Each structure stands twice: as structure tokens, then as C-alpha cells.
């Protein structure tokens, strides 16, 4: 026993010396990205683009060892403005962030919301993606020309569904499609849903003639054959998907959506910088890069004040497009 006691003490001493590097390796401590108790708010229902983005970012950050135990929760309502109001009320809370995008910009305008994105702390724009024009697998429309031909005959009888409020991406994209096809946008029967999850059920159930949403939201359903992809809204075809762009189909539409992260107002410089640093490290991680490729997301990374200037420009763009469309 007397011989084993010094050995035990030596072993304990070695563990003390070895322990800290083992604990900090891959933990995010070196780059200062650890935010204990970090919560990501999703301002619409589960299954939508904001939800997928937030849950992917949280898991990738954890897997990369940048931070731990990130909670993701949903607070849907009014196209994202309920969540926005909650975020703004959390003044100075450096452990809360919200997944958002162009849809929230539009919802602020269409709902005349009392709180705007100018009241938040801009953190980062993460991704850009095309919208997809989809129908259910049993739909009579086999091509984009089939759909638009029927749409032109009676716009009001072919409802289109989108996962955003008027002014958001899933509203603006079909309105631009209508104009390009010679359909007055005011005649379009647009039905808004609070996120892509709710919209999906309505497309599959035949409650809308077709739907418009982000490519990443419906990639699995398109590949499984539940949804038929007729066209994409951006300038180029999406790799791995057999569908034309609207432009190559003869409809002059070039439209993409984006998603990002904002935080409550009143953060200290240290709190804001830590959130930005976390997303910078996330952006550079192999986990995030693989997720972007898998979900069909394009890299659109932009942080801090530059992202804030972009948000202001997007607000002006939404107002301009709505006026141009007579909406």
C-alpha cells in the first residue's frame, strides 16, 4: 500500500497536467466561441427554411466543438414578426439569436409590424438559395409550361402557396413569375403559410395548385418523388436536380432567397463579437460546408455592419418590388 500511494499521487498529478488540453481541444475555447446557454429562436413552424437552417447550424457548431448544448425553439406567428418582437424585447441578451431571412423583411412591411430589423443587432448572413416551383406527384402539370398555361387561363382558380407572408420570398417569386407570364399580379391567388412545413402538407393534399419555397426545404421530397419539381427561380440550374430555370423556359425571372442571424438590441461589443466569431468559425468548419452542399445552399457569408447595411437595402428593395408589381 505504501508503494502504491506515491504512484497514485503521481498519476493524479499527470491527469491534472494533461486534463486542460484534453478539455479544450475542439471545445471552441481557443477561439472564444463558447456561449453557454445559447438559444436559437426560429420565428416560424418546424420544417421551414429558418428551422432547417437554425437546427443545422446548431448541430454543426456542436459537432465542430465550437459551443455546446445549443437550444433551438420555435415561436411562429405573423410571418416571423411575433418572433422578431420577442427578440427585440430581450434587450441585452447575448445568449439569444434568431434565424431569419428575406421573409421577415417582407412580413415587417406587409404586417406593418411595430418592431423592425433595424431594432436588432445584425450578426451574419449565412446562405443564399433558389426557390423551387413544385407540385404534388399526382398533379396534372408535368412541366412549367403546362402549369403556366393553365394559370394564365384562370389565375384565381389556381392558388399558389408559399411559406412566407406577402412581401417575402415565396410571395415575390410567384408574383414575378406571373408578371413574366403576362398575368396581372393582382389576379394571383396567393395563400401564405407560416413556413415550409405547413405549405408542404397543402401541396401534397392538393389544397394549392402549386407551391414556391426554398430548394433546401423540399430537397428530400423532390428526390423521393413526393413532389414534382417544375422549375427553379435562379440564374442557373441546381446541381443534382433535373429542372430548368424559369429564364431558360422563357420567363424572365431571376430570383434568390437568403437567410441569416440577428440578435437582440443592446448587446455589448464583447457579446456581439462573440456571436459573430462563432458564426465565422462555423462558416469555416467542414461540417457547415458539407451541410451547405447537401442542402443546395450557396455561400453568402456577410457579418456585422455590412450585414446591417444589406438588411437596410433589402427593406428598400421589397418596398420597391411591391410598388412595381402594384401590390
Amino acid at each position: 500500500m505504501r508503494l502504491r500511494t506515491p504512484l497514485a499521487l503521481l498519476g493524479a498529478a499527470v491527469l491534472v497536467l494533461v486534463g486542460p488540453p484534453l478539455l479544450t481541444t475542439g471545445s471552441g475555447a481557443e477561439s472564444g466561441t463558447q456561449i453557454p446557454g445559447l438559444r436559437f429562436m426560429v420565428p416560424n413552424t418546424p420544417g421551414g427554411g429558418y428551422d432547417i437552417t437554425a437546427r443545422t447550424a446548431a448541430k454543426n457548431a456542436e459537432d465542430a466543438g465550437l459551443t455546446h448544448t445549443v437550444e433551438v425553439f420555435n415561436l411562429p406567428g405573423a410571418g416571423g414578426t411575433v418572433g422578431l418582437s420577442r427578440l427585440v424585447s430581450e434587450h441585452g441578451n447575448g445568449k439569444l439569436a434568431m434565424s431569419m431571412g428575406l421573409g421577415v423583411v417582407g412580413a415587417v412591411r406587409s404586417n406593418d409590424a411595430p418592431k423592425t430589423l433595424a431594432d436588432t443587432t445584425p450578426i451574419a448572413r449565412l446562405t443564399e438559395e433558389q426557390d423551387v416551383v413544385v407540385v404534388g406527384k399526382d398533379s396534372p402539370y408535368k412541366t412549367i409550361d403546362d402549369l403556366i398555361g393553365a394559370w394564365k387561363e384562370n389565375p384565381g382558380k389556381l392558388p399558389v402557396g408559399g411559406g412566407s407572408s406577402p412581401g417575402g420570398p415565396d410571395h415575390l417569386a410567384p408574383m414575378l413569375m406571373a408578371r413574366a407570364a403576362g398575368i396581372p399580379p393582382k389576379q394571383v391567388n396567393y395563400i401564405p403559410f407560416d413556413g415550409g412545413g405547413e405549405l408542404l402538407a397543402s401541396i401534397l393534399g392538393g389544397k394549392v395548385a402549386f407551391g414556391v419555397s426554398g430548394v433546401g426545404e423540399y430537397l428530400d421530397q423532390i428526390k423521393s418523388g413526393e413532389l414534382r419539381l417544375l422549375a427553379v427561380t435562379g440564374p442557373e440550374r441546381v446541381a443534382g436536380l433535373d429542372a430548368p430555370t424559369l429564364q431558360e423556359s422563357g420567363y424572365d425571372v431571376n430570383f434568390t432567397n437568403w437567410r441569416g442571424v440577428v440578435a437582440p438590441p443592446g448587446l455589448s461589443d464583447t457579446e456581439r463579437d462573440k456571436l459573430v466569431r462563432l458564426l465565422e468559425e462555423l462558416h469555416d468548419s467542414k461540417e457547415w460546408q458539407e451541410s451547405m452542399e447537401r442542402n443546395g445552399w450557396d455561400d453568402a457569408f456577410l457579418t456585422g455592419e455590412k450585414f446591417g447595411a444589406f438588411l437596410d437595402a433589402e427593406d428598400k428593395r421589397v418596398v420597391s418590388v411591391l410598388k412595381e408589381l402594384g401590390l
Side-chain angles (χ1 to χ4, degrees):
M1 293 294 294
R2 290 180 182 177
L3 290 173
R4 293 167 71 181
T5 300
L7 289 174
L9 291 173
L10 178 60
V14 170
L15 284 174
V16 169
L17 291 172
V18 173
L22 290 174
L23 290 172
T24 57
T25 299
S27 68
E30 298 90 341
S31 57
T33 58
Q34 287 288 343
I35 307 177
L38 177 62
R39 305 177 77 212
F40 258 117
M41 182 198 303
V42 177
N44 58 15
T45 54
Y50 301 153
D51 189 67
I52 294 170
T53 302
R55 294 183 190 279
T56 300
K59 185 177 188 306
N60 288 170
E62 291 174 355
D63 290 347
L66 300 175
T67 194
H68 298 287
T69 319
V70 182
E71 179 190 350
V72 180
F73 68 100
N74 298 78
L75 185 62
T81 57
V82 170
L84 175 62
S85 180
R86 163 71 180 278
L87 185 82
V88 173
S89 74
E90 294 275 348
H91 190 277
N93 185 353
K95 296 187 177 184
L96 179 65
M98 186 177 85
S99 176
M100 50 73 70
L102 180 56
V104 176
V105 178
V108 166
R109 286 294 177 180
S110 61
N111 294 327
D112 196 22
K115 302 299 182 182
T116 74
L117 289 164
D119 297 315
T120 70
T121 300
I123 301 300
R125 184 183 68 190
L126 297 176
T127 62
E128 185 177 46
E129 70 171 343
Q130 301 197 39
D131 267 1
V132 291
V133 182
V134 292
V135 295
K137 62 181 179 181
D138 298 323
S139 169
Y141 309 116
K142 307 296 184 185
T143 68
I144 188 65
D145 285 332
D146 290 343
L147 172 65
I148 290 183
W151 199 21
K152 289 175 72 172
E153 287 183 11
N154 200 330
K157 287 193 174 180
L158 262 72
V160 50
S164 61
S165 295
D170 299 350
H171 172 250
L172 294 178
M175 293 300 168
L176 293 169
M177 281 174 56
R179 185 181 65 175
I183 301 169
K186 286 186 177 181
Q187 292 183 16
V188 173
N189 181 9
Y190 176 76
I191 301 178
F193 294 86
D194 204 355
E198 288 187 358
L199 171 61
L200 177 61
S202 291
I203 299 172
L204 295 176
K207 294 182 179 179
V208 294
F210 66 104
V212 177
S213 193
V215 60
E217 295 181 61
Y218 293 157
L219 203 55
D220 289 343
Q221 290 79 12
I222 291 169
K223 289 184 175 180
S224 71
E226 286 185 83
L227 293 177
R228 182 182 301 139
L229 175 60
L230 301 184
V232 297
T233 65
E236 297 177 353
R237 292 191 176 208
V238 175
L241 296 180
D242 183 20
T245 67
L246 287 169
Q247 284 187 328
E248 70 179 272
S249 301
Y251 307 101
D252 188 17
V253 176
N254 182 354
F255 182 86
T256 55
N257 187 16
W258 57 268
R259 296 193 178 94
V261 176
V262 293
L267 300 192
S268 67
D269 289 347
T270 299
E271 290 170 323
R272 181 199 62 216
D273 292 348
K274 180 166 276 194
L275 281 168
V276 170
R277 190 158 55 246
L278 171 61
L279 292 180
E280 287 175 339
E281 295 287 333
L282 173 67
H283 170 261
D284 293 339
S285 71
K286 67 177 179 61
E287 289 84 355
W288 180 251
Q289 295 297 321
E290 289 170 356
S291 291
M292 284 201 299
E293 182 176 355
R294 185 170 56 252
N295 287 295
W297 297 337
D298 294 322
D299 193 357
F301 197 63
L302 192 68
T303 62
E305 293 181 1
K306 290 182 178 179
F307 179 42
F310 171 79
L311 289 177
D312 183 58
E314 284 294 271
D315 180 56
K316 291 180 172 64
R317 181 168 77 102
V318 166
V319 172
S320 174
V321 171
L322 290 174
K323 284 182 179 178
E324 183 183 342
L325 294 172
L327 302 172

